[in-house]
Amino acid sequence: MAAVVARAHRLVPSRGWTDGGKPLARRIPSTIVTSITAGIVLAGGRSSRMGTAKAALEWHGSTLLRHVTGVVQRAVDGPVFVVRAPGQELPELDREIIVCDDPREGMGPMQGLAVGLRAAAEHAARPDVAFVCSTDLPFLHTAFVRAVLAGFGSDPGAEPEVDAVLPIVRGFRQPLTAGYRTALAPLVEELLGKGQLRPAHLLAECRVRVLDEDALLADRALAAVDPELEAVVNVNEPADYEAARRRPEPEVIVERYGVLATRGGGRGPRVVRAATIGHAADLVGLAFDGHILAAVNGDQIRSDGTLPLQAGDTVAFISADAGG
C-alpha cells in the first residue's frame, strides 16, 4: 500500500538529565508511516423489497444513511463519499460528507463503486484505499471498518500488496462491506464498459486478501464489540428493518465535567443506552445545544447531536462557554 513516510519526534525520559530533580525529555527521531483512508457509501439502490428508500429510514432519531455515514466517518481518517442515483433525494447528512451523483441508473453496485472510487482517487487528500459499503447496515461498527482496512497492511509471509480486502462471514462473500484501492477506478470502468456488472467480475481481476471469521475476530477490538460479526447484517425487507429497530440501543458511558457535572442526577459516570450523542445528552438531563460539546472516547469533539454512538463508547460532555 502506498504510504507517506514522515519524520517525527517522540518525547522519552533522559537518564541523568534533570531540572530541579525532575527528568528532562530529549527528542528521539522516529519514523511514522501514515496512509489516508476513505469511505464510500452506496445509497442508490432501488429498495424495491423494502418499498421505500432505505437511506431515509428512521434510525433512533436519525436516519439509516446518517447513521452508516457517521460510523464510517469515525473509522477513517480521510473523506467520506455518498453515491446517489440520478435525481435521488437524500436525508440530511453531516456537512463534511461529499455527495456524488451516479450518471447511469440501473447498473447495480459496480456503477456506484466506479463513481465513488473515481471521486476518491481525484480528491485532494489522495486516499490510497477506501472502505465501501451499502446504506442498509444498521449494525456496522467502526471496529469492523478498521479491521477490514487493516487487511491492506503487510503481514509476515503475506503478499506485500493487495488490491481488495474481502470479508467472508457465515460462508458468504461480503463485497459491499469490503476494502478497495482507489486506483481500481479505471479497471471498474473498463469492466462496466464490457457489461461485467458484478463485484465478482472485479475481484476476479484483483489481488484479493480474504478475511474469514477467524481472521476478522483475531482483531481484539472487533472481537470485543461484535463477536457475532453483525456488522454485515443488512435490512432488505420491512420485517428486517422492524426487527433491527426493536433491538435496544447501544450501551455507552456518559461523563459530565465542569458546570455540567451536577446536572441530571448527580456526579460520576452513568451507563445509558443511546444511539446518538443527542439522545445520550437527553438521558442525563442535558440540552445538547450550542453551549455543550461532546468528546467521544477522549477525542473527536463534536457539536452534532446526530453523530452515531456504538457499544463501548464513552461520551464526555463539557460546556462550550468560557469558564465552563
Side-chain angles (χ1 to χ4, degrees):
M1 177 172 56
V4 177
V5 180
R7 298 294 291 178
H9 292 86
R10 55 190 172 90
L11 294 176
V12 298
S14 299
R15 295 180 181 177
W17 298 358
T18 62
D19 178 12
K22 297 180 180 180
L24 289 172
R26 57 191 172 94
R27 294 187 179 275
I28 304 296
S30 62
T31 300
I32 298 176
V33 179
T34 61
S35 179
I36 301 298
T37 56
I40 299 171
V41 180
L42 307 181
R46 293 179 175 177
S47 304
S48 55
R49 283 187 285 172
M50 184 64 69
T52 188
K54 293 180 184 179
L57 288 173
E58 189 276 338
W59 190 254
H60 297 292
S62 183
T63 64
L64 195 53
L65 182 59
R66 174 66 184 97
H67 173 76
V68 172
T69 55
V71 171
V72 176
Q73 274 184 301
R74 289 184 52 185
V76 303
D77 57 5
V80 174
F81 304 85
V82 168
V83 182
R84 65 179 176 183
Q88 180 183 6
E89 293 187 8
L90 297 179
E92 185 175 354
L93 299 172
D94 182 83
R95 62 179 179 271
E96 294 183 359
I97 297 293
I98 301 170
V99 176
C100 305
D101 291 313
D102 184 346
R104 303 173 66 185
E105 192 170 11
M107 299 288 286
M110 276 279 280
Q111 175 63 33
L113 180 61
V115 172
L117 289 177
R118 174 63 67 183
E122 295 178 351
H123 190 271
R126 292 290 188 266
D128 298 301
V129 297
F131 178 82
V132 178
C133 68
S134 55
T135 190
D136 56 354
L137 300 167
F139 308 119
L140 184 66
H141 200 286
T142 54
F144 183 88
V145 178
R146 290 171 181 150
V148 170
L149 292 175
F152 286 103
S154 297
D155 296 325
E159 291 293 327
E161 190 171 356
V162 293
D163 300 310
V165 177
L166 178 68
I168 296 182
V169 179
R170 290 179 278 279
F172 293 97
R173 288 181 160 199
Q174 305 293 333
L176 294 186
T177 51
Y180 298 90
R181 288 194 176 279
T182 58
L184 289 174
L187 175 58
V188 181
E189 293 163 352
E190 178 184 339
L191 292 172
L192 286 168
K194 296 177 180 178
Q196 298 181 355
L197 307 182
R198 297 171 53 202
H201 294 137
L202 171 63
L203 295 170
E205 301 289 333
C206 294
R207 296 166 294 181
V208 179
R209 175 166 291 155
V210 171
L211 297 181
D212 61 14
E213 294 180 39
D214 288 340
L216 287 164
L217 293 176
D219 184 298
R220 293 183 180 180
L222 177 57
V225 296
D226 188 13
E228 301 300 321
L229 297 176
E230 292 189 312
V232 303
V233 173
N234 57 4
V235 290
N236 287 317
E237 300 178 354
D240 300 332
Y241 165 66
E242 291 163 5
R245 187 62 181 79
R246 285 195 298 268
R247 292 198 190 186
E249 296 176 66
E251 193 172 87
V252 301
I253 298 172
V254 176
E255 298 175 337
R256 292 154 293 166
Y257 292 96
V259 297
L260 307 179
T262 57
R263 297 187 192 176
R267 296 178 179 272
R270 286 184 56 185
V271 177
V272 301
R273 287 193 174 275
T276 64
I277 287 179
H279 189 203
D282 289 341
L283 292 174
V284 295
L286 300 178
F288 195 65
D289 52 23
H291 300 287
I292 293 178
L293 297 174
V296 181
N297 300 332
D299 55 18
Q300 300 183 49
I301 299 295
R302 300 281 184 165
S303 58
D304 179 6
T306 65
L307 182 81
L309 297 177
Q310 302 181 306
D313 280 343
T314 296
V315 186
F317 290 110
I318 57 177
S319 173
D321 298 328

